[in-house]
Amino acid sequence: MSAELPADFSIVEIGGVLVASDYVETLTSAGLNCADAFFGAIEGQALNKPGLDSWRQRLRLQLDHSGRQVDFFLKRFFDPPFRALREVRRSGSGARSVAGVEWCWMQQLSSAGIACPKPVALVEQFMDGRESRSAVLMRTVPGQSLERWAQRWVDSGVEYLIRRMLIERTADFIARLHDCGFVHRDLYLSHIFWNDDNAGEGDLWLIDLQRLFRTRWRRRRWIIKDLASLDFSTPPALISRTDRIRWLKRYLDVPKLDRFARRLARAVAAKGKRIAARDARRRRRLEAPDPEGSPP
């Protein structure tokens, strides 16, 4: 399975919506053929989570595409705050809107051979030069997140060969991401998908690209954050310290950890502790009772 967009990938504009040309009929049949349709009531599954900003919405849709039901993700942004608009400019993606960030990154990652969701549609609207709302539609990726696989394996066990294979594949996958100049900045197991039906090179997929960026400066800082986030989200009951060292050697493409590699490992471990502490504070905050009390 190729990670790249097809050679004939093209975009057309319909009713103020940028659409991948091979999805025009799909969206037209679903009534998603004008900008306003993307922001109104849409039949789908709302994907809410604790801490999600009120100006952001995520929905899972199922649409008829080429005679079969296909899953899509729709992300919508309403009157994004200044901090979000600032991140658009700082991302280096070339986007004009919050939704446009992921739209641009999906195309750039695919061109670099890094598997990610396929961009399907983009809507951007501005008022007095400021983004008022935007939306991006994408195909879902195959398989399940490594977070779900890991939980299953912690509960029921996993074959040694599968674990070793994924150690090597994820190390190669993230090394390619970083070698191409990208950093994810939210690199947890939940954002890497594995399709176990496909044993080829394209069986790992990267999702949730909103915070991804490409920079020449202070890259080591962000690479450490990526590696620490991935290490933090990997259950110790599943991946041992020896496995983690094996992963790092594969990622760095070195036969053994030299002085540079050991220094990197210490920096990742220190950052991992700070991530764990911040995560614990966040959990306590989300679990704290309402100070005003709950209605009877």
Side-chain angles (χ1 to χ4, degrees), residues 47-59:
L47 301 174
N48 298 319
K49 66 177 182 179
L52 184 68
D53 294 320
S54 60
W55 56 272
R56 301 168 57 198
Q57 294 181 1
R58 306 181 307 163
L59 297 93

Side-chain angles (χ1 to χ4, degrees), residues 75 87 91 101-102 105 109 114-117 173-174 177-178 181-193 205-215 219 221-227 229-230:
K75 296 186 178 182
E87 285 299 312
S91 70
V101 170
E102 201 150 6
W105 285 138
L109 285 185
I114 300 169
C116 64
F173 188 62
I174 302 308
L177 177 76
H178 290 162
F182 300 104
V183 287
H184 190 275
R185 295 202 298 166
D186 207 15
L187 192 62
Y188 298 94
L189 286 187
S190 57
H191 295 150
I192 302 175
F193 273 54
W205 303 75
L206 190 65
I207 70 163
D208 208 345
L209 311 178
Q210 194 65 47
R211 299 190 63 201
L212 185 142
F213 72 15
R214 202 172 193 174
T215 180
R219 289 194 66 244
R221 168 194 175 184
W222 298 113
I223 287 173
I224 288 171
K225 183 179 187 302
D226 271 2
L227 300 184
S229 299
L230 191 59

Side-chain angles (χ1 to χ4, degrees), residues 32-263:
L32 296 172
N33 54 354
C34 67
D36 287 346
F38 279 81
F39 300 106
I42 297 178
E43 183 177 350
Q45 177 188 5
L47 301 174
N48 298 319
K49 66 177 182 179
L52 184 68
D53 294 320
S54 60
W55 56 272
R56 301 168 57 198
Q57 294 181 1
R58 306 181 307 163
L59 297 93
R60 188 184 188 108
L61 313 179
Q62 193 170 77
L63 306 177
D64 184 273
H65 178 64
S66 299
R68 62 190 183 93
Q69 293 296 301
V70 175
D71 288 335
F72 298 82
F73 279 125
L74 175 63
K75 296 186 178 182
R76 308 193 293 191
F77 308 94
F78 298 86
D79 192 22
F82 174 77
R83 58 181 168 81
L85 301 179
R86 182 179 57 197
E87 285 299 312
V88 172
R89 296 192 296 270
R90 294 175 58 186
S91 70
S93 64
R96 299 192 308 147
S97 68
V98 177
V101 170
E102 201 150 6
W103 171 262
C104 291
W105 285 138
M106 285 187 283
Q107 295 177 66
Q108 294 185 42
L109 285 185
S110 295
S111 296
I114 300 169
C116 64
K118 180 176 180 177
V120 175
L122 173 70
V123 185
E124 298 175 307
Q125 295 187 333
F126 302 87
M127 182 175 296
D128 297 328
R130 177 189 171 97
E131 177 184 341
S132 57
R133 59 185 186 178
S134 63
V136 60
L137 182 71
M138 65 197 77
R139 283 279 300 264
T140 60
V141 301
Q144 296 186 70
S145 70
L146 287 181
E147 180 183 54
R148 291 193 175 186
W149 284 111
Q151 186 56 58
R152 179 186 303 179
W153 290 330
V154 167
D155 295 339
S156 61
V158 56
E159 294 182 14
Y160 173 76
L161 292 179
I162 293 178
R163 188 172 74 244
R164 283 296 300 269
M165 178 272 291
L166 283 174
I167 287 172
E168 295 176 358
R169 290 278 177 85
T170 55
D172 293 344
F173 188 62
I174 302 308
R176 179 168 182 79
L177 177 76
H178 290 162
D179 288 346
C180 289
F182 300 104
V183 287
H184 190 275
R185 295 202 298 166
D186 207 15
L187 192 62
Y188 298 94
L189 286 187
S190 57
H191 295 150
I192 302 175
F193 273 54
W194 178 48
N195 179 21
D196 65 334
D197 292 332
N198 174 31
E201 291 299 321
D203 60 355
L204 289 175
W205 303 75
L206 190 65
I207 70 163
D208 208 345
L209 311 178
Q210 194 65 47
R211 299 190 63 201
L212 185 142
F213 72 15
R214 202 172 193 174
T215 180
R216 296 180 181 180
W217 311 109
R218 305 178 72 184
R219 289 194 66 244
R220 186 175 185 273
R221 168 194 175 184
W222 298 113
I223 287 173
I224 288 171
K225 183 179 187 302
D226 271 2
L227 300 184
S229 299
L230 191 59
D231 183 66
F232 163 74
S233 63
T234 303
L238 180 65
I239 300 297
S240 66
R241 182 175 182 275
T242 299
D243 287 330
R244 293 168 199 263
I245 293 174
R246 184 178 291 118
W247 189 97
L248 186 60
K249 289 192 295 184
R250 179 82 178 200
Y251 167 83
L252 294 171
D253 192 23
V254 296
K256 64 178 182 179
L257 298 185
D258 56 14
R259 181 182 300 178
F260 167 80
R262 291 195 295 272
R263 187 163 62 245

